[in-house]
Amino acid sequence: MGVLFKNQFILTKECTIETAKIINRKQRIGLLIMSIIYIIAPIIIFMLYGFDWNLLFVCAISILAFLILRSRITNKVGLQLYQQQSILHHHEPIIKTVTVFEDYIEHHSGNGAQLNIFYDRITYAKKASHFMMLMYEKAVIVPIDMSGFTKGTSEEFEVFLLEKGIKVK
């Protein structure tokens, strides 16, 4: 079996922040919903009971806190992921290589770690702005740089995943 696709890139903070966006998607949606509830609640209470400065103040502060937390949680988690990877790689550049074969994918890290990924255990694939993330066994996210293909293209890889029964969202 020959190599069908090959992808290599240096892991950056931006990549780990994109990974964090995917990891924390449900929390971010929850915080957005809470913000909307805190916008609607004072309007309903005002219509039913009249204006209340205390309620308006509490809701305004809560909305502000939810929106700030929603934007900062991704950066914080992304930077923590990057720091963990940096320590594991002895503060050297973090080189990731993904090699795609017909039956499996090999993921190599610059520190010598290797993971064999079988297609039937990929939970989902998601495209971010510059990366595609493969979720493996609901526990491991494997980033693939859309511009880092040294063999094949990102479009061809996406078609290949669809042929393997993996829908890219």
Side-chain angles (χ1 to χ4, degrees), residues 64-77:
L64 187 62
F66 289 144
L67 293 176
I68 290 171
L69 183 60
R70 183 176 187 269
S71 66
R72 299 209 15 101
I73 194 169
T74 301
N75 289 340
K76 183 174 169 80
V77 171

